Amino acid sequence: MKKIKVGVIGVGYLGNFHAQKYAAMDRVDLVGVFDKNFDRAKEIAAACDTKAFADYHELISLTEAVSIVTPTTFHHTVGMECLAAGLDVMMEKPITVTLAEADELIDLAHRQGCILQVGHLERFNPGIMALEHYLDKPIYIESQRVHQFNPRGNDVDVVLDLMIHDIDIILSIVKSPLKTIRSLGSSIVTSSTDVATAQLLFENGCTATVTASRIAQTNVRQLVIHQKKSSLIVDYGKKDITVIDRSGALTANGYPVEETTHLPFPGQGDALKAELHHFIHAVETRQQPMVSGVEGRQALAIALQLIAEMKEHQATHNL
Ligand code: NAD
């Protein structure tokens, strides 16, 4: 079996896990890792039994595919260089900081015939994958992703850091064009937005409210989907789905009888492993990945619209 030669660029918190997952794959030859911080690259290379490169051009010249796990502000520059060299790219989320940058990456990937996958990891969450079976015209969606403060990821605001995961999931669930959006958000601890809430109204009538915070006291990650005949609650922390079924008999008062079932997430739940296997499968088969550059751009476009609205509010009130 021919192994795909892979490299990882940026091996901080998340890039370390990318390198570990590739190192464990039979179909992959992890050629090496690069990080601006060479000591960090050496540390991760030693743990993954691979080579640390001091120059990423050398790593690029020896690989067929890369994961780019640098801070978001470098995604465009590093991605353009890798795609120009003909490499397939697994780009961490958000795809880029601006839409113009995303368009350049998508266009270059297309011209080069390269795979461009974006790391919207939650799509590979077994709980989200299992939802498919229960979805039946969502009417009202509530998502909450609130985390305790962590200095990592603060090169971008909470919308690009956290909320974009839920925007991507909601877009993939509702499958209808967006009609209007409303958002509010405030900067509390960092110089950019730390807490945010948004309302998305879709052309098919579905409404979603999305809340994200990186200054919460406890971590909560939950997705609630209300449909006519059922409600679904995904608790990412507890790793379970609650299904409230209203499709049966009516009570004496004419309300539907609710039957509640708790389902643990299926499988072992290693979303990153599933995501990177999906990428390698796309590299081998040349099939479009589930979350391509275009989907990454769609989520970014909405995130940027939300951010613009929040900034206007913050500027008006000098917050
Ligand atoms: P991090 O700060 O822990 O790691 C970034 C690493 O990149 C550092 O080791 C740094 O030295 C290195 N680096 C900086 N500039 C570089 C460059 N130009 N070339 C090579 N290396 C460079 O950050 P992180 O939390 O690992 O986040 C990295 C990316 O992953 C971000 O885009 C972030 O949004 C994304 N991320 C995604 C998820 C998810 O759930 N999909 C979760 C966390 C982070």
Side-chain angles (χ1 to χ4, degrees), residues 82-133:
C82 293
L83 290 168
L87 305 188
D88 294 318
V89 169
M90 167 71 221
M91 179 69 83
E92 255 315 326
K93 64 97 289 255
I95 178 169
T96 47
V97 176
T98 68
L99 290 181
E101 290 174 348
D103 286 337
E104 283 187 19
L105 287 178
I106 293 167
D107 181 52
L108 185 56
H110 182 69
R111 282 189 283 119
Q112 291 281 79
C114 294
I115 302 289
L116 174 59
Q117 182 172 329
V118 182
H120 286 287
L121 184 64
E122 296 287 31
R123 288 260 213 125
F124 295 87
N125 187 312
I128 294 297
M129 295 184 99
L131 266 188
E132 184 77 40
H133 182 66

Side-chain angles (χ1 to χ4, degrees), residues 238-279:
K238 285 194 198 146
K239 294 191 191 266
D240 78 12
I241 304 174
T242 304
V243 179
I244 301 153
D245 185 352
R246 287 187 290 270
S247 63
L250 299 182
T251 63
N253 297 332
Y255 293 110
V257 173
E258 294 188 335
E259 260 186 52
T260 302
T261 316
H262 295 280
L263 307 163
F265 282 8
Q268 290 303 306
D270 190 339
L272 184 60
K273 182 176 167 190
E275 180 186 59
L276 297 183
H277 271 288
H278 183 83
F279 173 59

Side-chain angles (χ1 to χ4, degrees), residues 200-211:
L200 312 179
L201 173 62
F202 291 87
E203 280 184 7
N204 69 0
C206 180
T207 314
T209 64
V210 194
T211 305

Side-chain angles (χ1 to χ4, degrees), residues 9-16 18 34-37 40 56 68-75 78 92-94 119-122 152-153 155-156 160-161 165 272 275:
I9 300 178
V11 282
Y13 167 74
L14 192 61
N16 171 22
H18 278 244
F34 169 81
D35 196 287
K36 251 188 179 170
N37 175 347
R40 174 73 180 171
Y56 80 91
I68 299 176
V69 202
T70 63
T72 306
T73 37
F74 297 103
H75 286 185
V78 179
E92 255 315 326
K93 64 97 289 255
H120 286 287
L121 184 64
E122 296 287 31
R152 255 187 328 102
D155 60 321
V156 291
L160 290 180
D161 185 19
H165 282 294
L272 184 60
E275 180 186 59

Side-chain angles (χ1 to χ4, degrees), residues 268-316:
Q268 290 303 306
D270 190 339
L272 184 60
K273 182 176 167 190
E275 180 186 59
L276 297 183
H277 271 288
H278 183 83
F279 173 59
I280 295 301
H281 181 71
V283 170
E284 287 169 338
T285 61
R286 312 312 296 163
Q287 283 173 10
Q288 271 301 308
M290 184 159 74
V291 192
S292 69
V294 172
E295 275 86 27
R297 185 203 189 274
Q298 271 168 5
L300 178 68
I302 294 169
L304 292 179
Q305 232 179 307
L306 297 173
I307 291 168
E309 218 176 77
M310 288 175 203
K311 281 197 175 147
E312 203 179 304
H313 166 80
Q314 288 163 14
T316 309

Side-chain angles (χ1 to χ4, degrees), residues 179-254:
K179 198 168 164 194
T180 49
I181 61 174
R182 293 250 165 73
S183 66
L184 286 172
S186 304
S187 143
I188 307 289
V189 172
T190 72
S191 56
S192 58
T193 302
D194 298 309
V195 279
T197 179
Q199 285 185 327
L200 312 179
L201 173 62
F202 291 87
E203 280 184 7
N204 69 0
C206 180
T207 314
T209 64
V210 194
T211 305
S213 167
R214 57 183 177 200
I215 54 163
Q217 291 303 301
T218 49
N219 294 349
V220 179
R221 289 188 297 146
Q222 187 172 269
L223 178 69
V224 181
I225 300 170
H226 296 295
Q227 313 180 118
K228 255 310 184 240
K229 297 284 181 196
S230 65
S231 293
L232 314 168
I233 304 168
V234 180
D235 188 321
Y236 299 88
K238 285 194 198 146
K239 294 191 191 266
D240 78 12
I241 304 174
T242 304
V243 179
I244 301 153
D245 185 352
R246 287 187 290 270
S247 63
L250 299 182
T251 63
N253 297 332

